[in-house]
Amino acid sequence: MNATDPLQQAQAYAQQRAAASGSSFYYAFLFLPPARRAAITAFYAFCREIDDVVDEVSDPGVAQTKLGWWRQQVLRAFGDGAPPEHPALVALRPHIAPYGLTAEPLLQIIDGCEMDLQQSRYLDYPGLQRYCHLVAGVVGEVAARIFGQTEAQTTAYAHRLGLAFQLTNIIRDVGEDALRGRIYLPIQELQRFDVKAHELLKRGIGAEPSFPQRFAALMAFQIERALATYDEAIALLPSADRRAQKPGLMMANIYRTLLREIAREPALVLTQRVGLTPLRKFWLAWKVQALGRF
């Protein structure tokens, strides 16, 4: 291939998109064989693009139009007519047949992100789970296929693991989401711990003196549930697919470590993005790859 080859350019774009995000997912991808790494990197770049439409476009009408454009791009990627224009889907297209990918999960991911344009609160946990299914469970399903799924039961594992990842993101991003006027923590659970929506939206600024204690109790509950969800997911993974699904287990190791960091000082999520260093993420991923340890 020469430097002007469209596919090569698209692959370089997807690689840059994944690396620049600094995501825990990127570190797990590093241990994959080249073809699978290229496929999951392109898919991850697509997911980042869709997520950014909602997070970075302030006008809901414009965001809706952009998501409509993305739906057409997905259909073109999986069709026999004109190819997609966006490099993320150009990079993904060669991997559709080898890994048995279909358009429906990608369209569901767009549907999930579209929910953010229409809804900024969730009454209860089942309602939140439906959202998580679209924006994370489906992502896990596609990733499991690319990683090398051979057992049907692995799909249930992938969906549960996706839920655990999304619960972790919600916990980590309480403050960032508040700046966008969003609260993903279920209203019923806020009421249970006597945490007011306006206290979260103001990120605890000016709240009553009892707020830190109430917020810490709420977060302890959220973290415990997320950690339990990782355990539930891993218990669903068939032993026959455990080796192939190591990237997901690497990500689980990184994310569970992040949750334990947040648990030490939960109030930090209101004002900053709590994270792990790149070196620590790589080490946690390597431990799973080389030692099988969490």
Side-chain angles (χ1 to χ4, degrees), residues 154 234-235 237-247 249 292 294:
T154 298
I234 293 168
L237 177 60
S239 57
D241 272 355
R242 190 175 180 88
R243 184 179 182 85
Q245 299 302 319
K246 269 190 176 181
L249 299 176
F294 293 91

mmCIF file with all atom_site columns, all heavy atoms in Angstrom, residues 154 234-235 237-247 249 292 294:
data_model
loop_
_atom_site.group_PDB
_atom_site.id
_atom_site.type_symbol
_atom_site.label_atom_id
_atom_site.label_alt_id
_atom_site.label_comp_id
_atom_site.label_asym_id
_atom_site.label_entity_id
_atom_site.label_seq_id
_atom_site.pdbx_PDB_ins_code
_atom_site.Cartn_x
_atom_site.Cartn_y
_atom_site.Cartn_z
_atom_site.occupancy
_atom_site.B_iso_or_equiv
_atom_site.pdbx_formal_charge
_atom_site.auth_seq_id
_atom_site.auth_comp_id
_atom_site.auth_asym_id
_atom_site.auth_atom_id
_atom_site.pdbx_PDB_model_num
ATOM 1   N N   . THR A 1 154 ? -21.237 -16.881 25.467 1.00 0.00 ? 154 THR A N   1
ATOM 2   C CA  . THR A 1 154 ? -20.324 -15.743 25.585 1.00 0.00 ? 154 THR A CA  1
ATOM 3   C C   . THR A 1 154 ? -21.047 -14.423 25.313 1.00 0.00 ? 154 THR A C   1
ATOM 4   O O   . THR A 1 154 ? -20.639 -13.375 25.826 1.00 0.00 ? 154 THR A O   1
ATOM 5   C CB  . THR A 1 154 ? -19.131 -15.923 24.626 1.00 0.00 ? 154 THR A CB  1
ATOM 6   O OG1 . THR A 1 154 ? -18.431 -17.109 25.015 1.00 0.00 ? 154 THR A OG1 1
ATOM 7   C CG2 . THR A 1 154 ? -18.165 -14.754 24.681 1.00 0.00 ? 154 THR A CG2 1
ATOM 8   N N   . ILE A 1 234 ? -18.064 -12.327 34.572 1.00 0.00 ? 234 ILE A N   1
ATOM 9   C CA  . ILE A 1 234 ? -16.974 -13.300 34.437 1.00 0.00 ? 234 ILE A CA  1
ATOM 10  C C   . ILE A 1 234 ? -17.472 -14.715 34.703 1.00 0.00 ? 234 ILE A C   1
ATOM 11  O O   . ILE A 1 234 ? -17.027 -15.678 34.072 1.00 0.00 ? 234 ILE A O   1
ATOM 12  C CB  . ILE A 1 234 ? -15.815 -12.907 35.369 1.00 0.00 ? 234 ILE A CB  1
ATOM 13  C CG1 . ILE A 1 234 ? -15.191 -11.591 34.874 1.00 0.00 ? 234 ILE A CG1 1
ATOM 14  C CG2 . ILE A 1 234 ? -14.761 -14.006 35.428 1.00 0.00 ? 234 ILE A CG2 1
ATOM 15  C CD1 . ILE A 1 234 ? -14.236 -10.947 35.834 1.00 0.00 ? 234 ILE A CD1 1
ATOM 16  N N   . ALA A 1 235 ? -18.440 -14.854 35.611 1.00 0.00 ? 235 ALA A N   1
ATOM 17  C CA  . ALA A 1 235 ? -19.010 -16.174 35.896 1.00 0.00 ? 235 ALA A CA  1
ATOM 18  C C   . ALA A 1 235 ? -19.779 -16.732 34.698 1.00 0.00 ? 235 ALA A C   1
ATOM 19  O O   . ALA A 1 235 ? -19.940 -17.955 34.578 1.00 0.00 ? 235 ALA A O   1
ATOM 20  C CB  . ALA A 1 235 ? -19.934 -16.086 37.108 1.00 0.00 ? 235 ALA A CB  1
ATOM 21  N N   . LEU A 1 237 ? -18.794 -16.399 31.548 1.00 0.00 ? 237 LEU A N   1
ATOM 22  C CA  . LEU A 1 237 ? -17.884 -16.666 30.426 1.00 0.00 ? 237 LEU A CA  1
ATOM 23  C C   . LEU A 1 237 ? -17.526 -18.151 30.358 1.00 0.00 ? 237 LEU A C   1
ATOM 24  O O   . LEU A 1 237 ? -16.936 -18.688 31.291 1.00 0.00 ? 237 LEU A O   1
ATOM 25  C CB  . LEU A 1 237 ? -16.608 -15.830 30.592 1.00 0.00 ? 237 LEU A CB  1
ATOM 26  C CG  . LEU A 1 237 ? -15.520 -16.029 29.539 1.00 0.00 ? 237 LEU A CG  1
ATOM 27  C CD1 . LEU A 1 237 ? -16.030 -15.687 28.147 1.00 0.00 ? 237 LEU A CD1 1
ATOM 28  C CD2 . LEU A 1 237 ? -14.299 -15.175 29.889 1.00 0.00 ? 237 LEU A CD2 1
ATOM 29  N N   . PRO A 1 238 ? -17.876 -18.812 29.258 1.00 0.00 ? 238 PRO A N   1
ATOM 30  C CA  . PRO A 1 238 ? -17.521 -20.229 29.125 1.00 0.00 ? 238 PRO A CA  1
ATOM 31  C C   . PRO A 1 238 ? -16.005 -20.414 29.109 1.00 0.00 ? 238 PRO A C   1
ATOM 32  O O   . PRO A 1 238 ? -15.275 -19.589 28.544 1.00 0.00 ? 238 PRO A O   1
ATOM 33  C CB  . PRO A 1 238 ? -18.131 -20.623 27.770 1.00 0.00 ? 238 PRO A CB  1
ATOM 34  C CG  . PRO A 1 238 ? -19.151 -19.573 27.483 1.00 0.00 ? 238 PRO A CG  1
ATOM 35  C CD  . PRO A 1 238 ? -18.632 -18.323 28.100 1.00 0.00 ? 238 PRO A CD  1
ATOM 36  N N   . SER A 1 239 ? -15.538 -21.485 29.708 1.00 0.00 ? 239 SER A N   1
ATOM 37  C CA  . SER A 1 239 ? -14.090 -21.720 29.770 1.00 0.00 ? 239 SER A CA  1
ATOM 38  C C   . SER A 1 239 ? -13.479 -21.846 28.376 1.00 0.00 ? 239 SER A C   1
ATOM 39  O O   . SER A 1 239 ? -12.326 -21.461 28.166 1.00 0.00 ? 239 SER A O   1
ATOM 40  C CB  . SER A 1 239 ? -13.803 -22.981 30.581 1.00 0.00 ? 239 SER A CB  1
ATOM 41  O OG  . SER A 1 239 ? -14.465 -24.105 30.028 1.00 0.00 ? 239 SER A OG  1
ATOM 42  N N   . ALA A 1 240 ? -14.261 -22.340 27.429 1.00 0.00 ? 240 ALA A N   1
ATOM 43  C CA  . ALA A 1 240 ? -13.746 -22.516 26.067 1.00 0.00 ? 240 ALA A CA  1
ATOM 44  C C   . ALA A 1 240 ? -13.392 -21.185 25.411 1.00 0.00 ? 240 ALA A C   1
ATOM 45  O O   . ALA A 1 240 ? -12.554 -21.130 24.505 1.00 0.00 ? 240 ALA A O   1
ATOM 46  C CB  . ALA A 1 240 ? -14.770 -23.262 25.205 1.00 0.00 ? 240 ALA A CB  1
ATOM 47  N N   . ASP A 1 241 ? -14.029 -20.099 25.850 1.00 0.00 ? 241 ASP A N   1
ATOM 48  C CA  . ASP A 1 241 ? -13.775 -18.780 25.252 1.00 0.00 ? 241 ASP A CA  1
ATOM 49  C C   . ASP A 1 241 ? -12.928 -17.879 26.140 1.00 0.00 ? 241 ASP A C   1
ATOM 50  O O   . ASP A 1 241 ? -12.682 -16.723 25.788 1.00 0.00 ? 241 ASP A O   1
ATOM 51  C CB  . ASP A 1 241 ? -15.105 -18.081 24.943 1.00 0.00 ? 241 ASP A CB  1
ATOM 52  C CG  . ASP A 1 241 ? -15.636 -18.442 23.565 1.00 0.00 ? 241 ASP A CG  1
ATOM 53  O OD1 . ASP A 1 241 ? -14.930 -19.145 22.826 1.00 0.00 ? 241 ASP A OD1 1
ATOM 54  O OD2 . ASP A 1 241 ? -16.765 -18.025 23.238 1.00 0.00 ? 241 ASP A OD2 1
ATOM 55  N N   . ARG A 1 242 ? -12.498 -18.369 27.266 1.00 0.00 ? 242 ARG A N   1
ATOM 56  C CA  . ARG A 1 242 ? -11.779 -17.506 28.208 1.00 0.00 ? 242 ARG A CA  1
ATOM 57  C C   . ARG A 1 242 ? -10.495 -16.944 27.597 1.00 0.00 ? 242 ARG A C   1
ATOM 58  O O   . ARG A 1 242 ? -10.188 -15.763 27.764 1.00 0.00 ? 242 ARG A O   1
ATOM 59  C CB  . ARG A 1 242 ? -11.454 -18.277 29.488 1.00 0.00 ? 242 ARG A CB  1
ATOM 60  C CG  . ARG A 1 242 ? -10.932 -17.377 30.599 1.00 0.00 ? 242 ARG A CG  1
ATOM 61  C CD  . ARG A 1 242 ? -10.730 -18.145 31.896 1.00 0.00 ? 242 ARG A CD  1
ATOM 62  N NE  . ARG A 1 242 ? -10.231 -17.274 32.951 1.00 0.00 ? 242 ARG A NE  1
ATOM 63  C CZ  . ARG A 1 242 ? -10.982 -16.562 33.771 1.00 0.00 ? 242 ARG A CZ  1
ATOM 64  N NH1 . ARG A 1 242 ? -12.311 -16.624 33.662 1.00 0.00 ? 242 ARG A NH1 1
ATOM 65  N NH2 . ARG A 1 242 ? -10.452 -15.803 34.699 1.00 0.00 ? 242 ARG A NH2 1
ATOM 66  N N   . ARG A 1 243 ? -9.766  -17.770 26.867 1.00 0.00 ? 243 ARG A N   1
ATOM 67  C CA  . ARG A 1 243 ? -8.521  -17.295 26.258 1.00 0.00 ? 243 ARG A CA  1
ATOM 68  C C   . ARG A 1 243 ? -8.796  -16.227 25.200 1.00 0.00 ? 243 ARG A C   1
ATOM 69  O O   . ARG A 1 243 ? -8.129  -15.186 25.163 1.00 0.00 ? 243 ARG A O   1
ATOM 70  C CB  . ARG A 1 243 ? -7.764  -18.476 25.644 1.00 0.00 ? 243 ARG A CB  1
ATOM 71  C CG  . ARG A 1 243 ? -6.405  -18.101 25.068 1.00 0.00 ? 243 ARG A CG  1
ATOM 72  C CD  . ARG A 1 243 ? -5.692  -19.320 24.490 1.00 0.00 ? 243 ARG A CD  1
ATOM 73  N NE  . ARG A 1 243 ? -4.375  -18.983 23.991 1.00 0.00 ? 243 ARG A NE  1
ATOM 74  C CZ  . ARG A 1 243 ? -3.276  -18.934 24.721 1.00 0.00 ? 243 ARG A CZ  1
ATOM 75  N NH1 . ARG A 1 243 ? -3.338  -19.203 26.021 1.00 0.00 ? 243 ARG A NH1 1
ATOM 76  N NH2 . ARG A 1 243 ? -2.103  -18.620 24.190 1.00 0.00 ? 243 ARG A NH2 1
ATOM 77  N N   . ALA A 1 244 ? -9.774  -16.484 24.337 1.00 0.00 ? 244 ALA A N   1
ATOM 78  C CA  . ALA A 1 244 ? -10.079 -15.530 23.264 1.00 0.00 ? 244 ALA A CA  1
ATOM 79  C C   . ALA A 1 244 ? -10.586 -14.202 23.824 1.00 0.00 ? 244 ALA A C   1
ATOM 80  O O   . ALA A 1 244 ? -10.345 -13.136 23.239 1.00 0.00 ? 244 ALA A O   1
ATOM 81  C CB  . ALA A 1 244 ? -11.113 -16.121 22.316 1.00 0.00 ? 244 ALA A CB  1
ATOM 82  N N   . GLN A 1 245 ? -11.307 -14.259 24.942 1.00 0.00 ? 245 GLN A N   1
ATOM 83  C CA  . GLN A 1 245 ? -11.924 -13.056 25.506 1.00 0.00 ? 245 GLN A CA  1
ATOM 84  C C   . GLN A 1 245 ? -11.026 -12.337 26.510 1.00 0.00 ? 245 GLN A C   1
ATOM 85  O O   . GLN A 1 245 ? -11.499 -11.490 27.274 1.00 0.00 ? 245 GLN A O   1
ATOM 86  C CB  . GLN A 1 245 ? -13.260 -13.429 26.147 1.00 0.00 ? 245 GLN A CB  1
ATOM 87  C CG  . GLN A 1 245 ? -14.287 -14.013 25.193 1.00 0.00 ? 245 GLN A CG  1
ATOM 88  C CD  . GLN A 1 245 ? -14.625 -13.088 24.034 1.00 0.00 ? 245 GLN A CD  1
ATOM 89  O OE1 . GLN A 1 245 ? -14.754 -11.877 24.213 1.00 0.00 ? 245 GLN A OE1 1
ATOM 90  N NE2 . GLN A 1 245 ? -14.759 -13.645 22.833 1.00 0.00 ? 245 GLN A NE2 1
ATOM 91  N N   . LYS A 1 246 ? -9.736  -12.636 26.482 1.00 0.00 ? 246 LYS A N   1
ATOM 92  C CA  . LYS A 1 246 ? -8.816  -11.975 27.411 1.00 0.00 ? 246 LYS A CA  1
ATOM 93  C C   . LYS A 1 246 ? -8.854  -10.441 27.341 1.00 0.00 ? 246 LYS A C   1
ATOM 94  O O   . LYS A 1 246 ? -8.703  -9.774  28.361 1.00 0.00 ? 246 LYS A O   1
ATOM 95  C CB  . LYS A 1 246 ? -7.387  -12.475 27.192 1.00 0.00 ? 246 LYS A CB  1
ATOM 96  C CG  . LYS A 1 246 ? -7.035  -13.676 28.047 1.00 0.00 ? 246 LYS A CG  1
ATOM 97  C CD  . LYS A 1 246 ? -5.541  -13.977 27.972 1.00 0.00 ? 246 LYS A CD  1
ATOM 98  C CE  . LYS A 1 246 ? -5.171  -15.115 28.917 1.00 0.00 ? 246 LYS A CE  1
ATOM 99  N NZ  . LYS A 1 246 ? -3.717  -15.402 28.881 1.00 0.00 ? 246 LYS A NZ  1
ATOM 100 N N   . PRO A 1 247 ? -9.039  -9.849  26.155 1.00 0.00 ? 247 PRO A N   1
ATOM 101 C CA  . PRO A 1 247 ? -9.089  -8.375  26.139 1.00 0.00 ? 247 PRO A CA  1
ATOM 102 C C   . PRO A 1 247 ? -10.192 -7.812  27.042 1.00 0.00 ? 247 PRO A C   1
ATOM 103 O O   . PRO A 1 247 ? -9.980  -6.805  27.723 1.00 0.00 ? 247 PRO A O   1
ATOM 104 C CB  . PRO A 1 247 ? -9.352  -8.054  24.668 1.00 0.00 ? 247 PRO A CB  1
ATOM 105 C CG  . PRO A 1 247 ? -8.739  -9.199  23.929 1.00 0.00 ? 247 PRO A CG  1
ATOM 106 C CD  . PRO A 1 247 ? -9.025  -10.391 24.779 1.00 0.00 ? 247 PRO A CD  1
ATOM 107 N N   . LEU A 1 249 ? -11.369 -9.258  29.708 1.00 0.00 ? 249 LEU A N   1
ATOM 108 C CA  . LEU A 1 249 ? -10.935 -9.489  31.081 1.00 0.00 ? 249 LEU A CA  1
ATOM 109 C C   . LEU A 1 249 ? -9.864  -8.472  31.497 1.00 0.00 ? 249 LEU A C   1
ATOM 110 O O   . LEU A 1 249 ? -9.816  -8.048  32.651 1.00 0.00 ? 249 LEU A O   1
ATOM 111 C CB  . LEU A 1 249 ? -10.402 -10.913 31.225 1.00 0.00 ? 249 LEU A CB  1
ATOM 112 C CG  . LEU A 1 249 ? -11.418 -12.031 30.926 1.00 0.00 ? 249 LEU A CG  1
ATOM 113 C CD1 . LEU A 1 249 ? -10.751 -13.399 31.005 1.00 0.00 ? 249 LEU A CD1 1
ATOM 114 C CD2 . LEU A 1 249 ? -12.612 -11.954 31.864 1.00 0.00 ? 249 LEU A CD2 1
ATOM 115 N N   . GLY A 1 292 ? -2.771  -14.344 33.816 1.00 0.00 ? 292 GLY A N   1
ATOM 116 C CA  . GLY A 1 292 ? -4.168  -14.703 34.052 1.00 0.00 ? 292 GLY A CA  1
ATOM 117 C C   . GLY A 1 292 ? -4.678  -14.227 35.388 1.00 0.00 ? 292 GLY A C   1
ATOM 118 O O   . GLY A 1 292 ? -5.654  -14.760 35.917 1.00 0.00 ? 292 GLY A O   1
ATOM 119 N N   . PHE A 1 294 ? -6.046  -11.209 38.185 1.00 0.00 ? 294 PHE A N   1
ATOM 120 C CA  . PHE A 1 294 ? -6.806  -9.965  38.292 1.00 0.00 ? 294 PHE A CA  1
ATOM 121 C C   . PHE A 1 294 ? -6.352  -9.191  39.526 1.00 0.00 ? 294 PHE A C   1
ATOM 122 O O   . PHE A 1 294 ? -5.938  -9.777  40.498 1.00 0.00 ? 294 PHE A O   1
ATOM 123 C CB  . PHE A 1 294 ? -8.308  -10.277 38.423 1.00 0.00 ? 294 PHE A CB  1
ATOM 124 C CG  . PHE A 1 294 ? -8.884  -10.873 37.190 1.00 0.00 ? 294 PHE A CG  1
ATOM 125 C CD1 . PHE A 1 294 ? -8.924  -12.245 37.014 1.00 0.00 ? 294 PHE A CD1 1
ATOM 126 C CD2 . PHE A 1 294 ? -9.397  -10.072 36.181 1.00 0.00 ? 294 PHE A CD2 1
ATOM 127 C CE1 . PHE A 1 294 ? -9.463  -12.809 35.867 1.00 0.00 ? 294 PHE A CE1 1
ATOM 128 C CE2 . PHE A 1 294 ? -9.930  -10.630 35.040 1.00 0.00 ? 294 PHE A CE2 1
ATOM 129 C CZ  . PHE A 1 294 ? -9.954  -12.002 34.888 1.00 0.00 ? 294 PHE A CZ  1
#
